Amino acid sequence: MKLGILGAGKVGRTLGEQFEQAGYKVLYGTRTEREGTLTLQEVASASDVLASTCCRHLMD
């Protein structure tokens, strides 16, 4: 199962690391280009489940 995490800051990375240790494939999405991440739209399209760890006003 692919878990998409919207937001790659401290909370997003910590959550993702825990899921990776449990055997999940984790995709990270950000608004801006950052090494190892995809766009929010790419992550939403490629994931089975999404978790948002970014502020709501950034999602509009």
Side-chain angles (χ1 to χ4, degrees):
M1 178 179 288
K2 292 184 210 166
L3 172 68
I5 298 182
L6 306 179
K10 187 174 182 177
V11 173
R13 290 287 180 184
T14 301
L15 181 65
E17 289 169 4
Q18 295 297 313
F19 275 97
E20 286 172 336
Q21 289 176 5
Y24 289 84
K25 168 72 175 160
V26 177
L27 304 171
Y28 297 95
T30 58
R31 293 178 300 125
T32 58
E33 289 187 30
R34 187 187 278 188
E35 186 177 335
T37 67
L38 303 169
T39 66
L40 298 175
Q41 294 83 359
E42 290 170 333
V43 170
S45 295
S47 301
D48 299 310
V49 177
L50 287 175
S52 176
T53 64
C54 54
C55 298
R56 183 185 182 287
H57 75 277
L58 300 176
M59 303 288 292
D60 292 337

